[in-house]
Amino acid sequence: AMAAVWKEMKRLRHRDLLRGALLRAFERDQLESRIIQSDKFRPLLTRWAEILAAGGGSPSVAGGAACAQADPHAVPAEVQQQAQGARDPEVRWLVKRLLSGDMMHRGTPHFPSVLLQRGPQYPFQPWEYGYLKTRSGAIRGTELTQKIELPKVENPEPSEDQRPPRDLWAEGCLDNEDLMDFRQPLK
């Protein structure tokens, strides 16, 4: 009985690791992320995780590591067939999207050039206000407008949700007592 519970816990953990790998392939607010987390996609996700955990993805990597490092575009044939038989069109569409390999990310947003100009700001100085009243309706701005340069920004480290999760089952859990020096007397 205990072995069956342990086996079920491992199976669910592998499924969660695969779900995380698939979610990292898409942006948070994409429709694909919502479908991956839905109940209707869960049977396909479970079967996919079972195939990967058994070593179906790559013989050198199996178990939780195979699920955490899964390629979202390498959908197993059995999962593809199961998706074709699915009644929900969103599930069939998601598997086609995964197979297409196109993430359709929006990329970095466009920074409008209008925001690269510094002009007078409220509260105005009396002379600025008087000048601006004469220039109201001007499209190009005024002589008081100055171009500004944005500082160069390095690519940030990937956020916590973009990094693959640690497999605590493989690494084990640490607490403060694990890091204590046992040779020192207790205080």
Side-chain angles (χ1 to χ4, degrees):
M2 193 63 158
V5 171
W6 180 252
K7 191 180 239 182
E8 180 69 13
M9 286 176 59
K10 278 178 52 177
R11 188 178 68 81
L12 294 174
R13 176 67 179 149
H14 292 161
R15 186 181 73 193
D16 287 344
L17 288 170
L18 176 61
R19 179 185 294 137
L22 293 178
L23 288 173
R24 280 191 302 278
F26 298 103
E27 293 179 1
R28 284 184 182 164
D29 59 345
Q30 282 183 286
L31 176 64
E32 292 86 345
S33 297
R34 190 175 59 81
I35 298 171
I36 289 169
Q37 297 177 66
S38 69
D39 292 338
K40 54 194 166 195
F41 190 69
R42 191 174 298 143
L44 279 79
L45 196 63
T46 303
R47 184 64 195 132
W48 191 347
E50 288 170 356
I51 292 169
L52 288 176
S58 141
S60 62
V61 181
C67 294
Q69 301 166 2
D71 179 14
H73 310 300
V75 182
E78 187 177 331
V79 175
Q80 292 177 32
Q81 290 172 352
Q82 191 175 352
Q84 291 305 320
R87 297 181 66 188
D88 197 315
E90 286 185 339
V91 171
R92 294 191 301 265
W93 173 79
L94 176 63
V95 172
K96 286 180 190 171
R97 279 277 288 121
L98 288 169
L99 291 170
S100 75
D102 182 16
M103 292 294 106
M104 292 189 195
H105 282 193
R106 291 181 293 272
T108 55
H110 170 68
F111 190 80
S113 61
V114 175
L115 297 178
L116 289 174
Q117 298 178 359
R118 177 177 287 141
Q121 295 182 350
Y122 184 83
F124 301 117
Q125 298 295 326
W127 64 272
E128 289 177 333
Y129 182 66
Y131 179 75
L132 289 172
K133 281 198 300 189
T134 65
R135 300 291 296 174
S136 66
I139 295 175
R140 296 187 185 270
T142 68
E143 293 84 35
L144 301 177
T145 306
Q146 301 168 351
K147 281 266 197 206
I148 57 173
E149 290 289 324
L150 287 180
K152 296 292 181 200
V153 179
E154 297 293 324
N155 285 338
E157 290 291 322
S159 63
E160 187 66 34
D161 59 340
Q162 294 296 325
R163 284 191 225 125
R166 292 177 45 212
D167 190 2
L168 295 177
W169 290 28
E171 298 173 14
C173 296
L174 297 176
D175 60 8
N176 291 340
E177 292 178 5
D178 292 337
L179 304 175
M180 282 181 30
D181 186 1
F182 62 91
R183 293 171 288 189
Q184 299 292 327
L186 293 174
K187 295 178 184 177

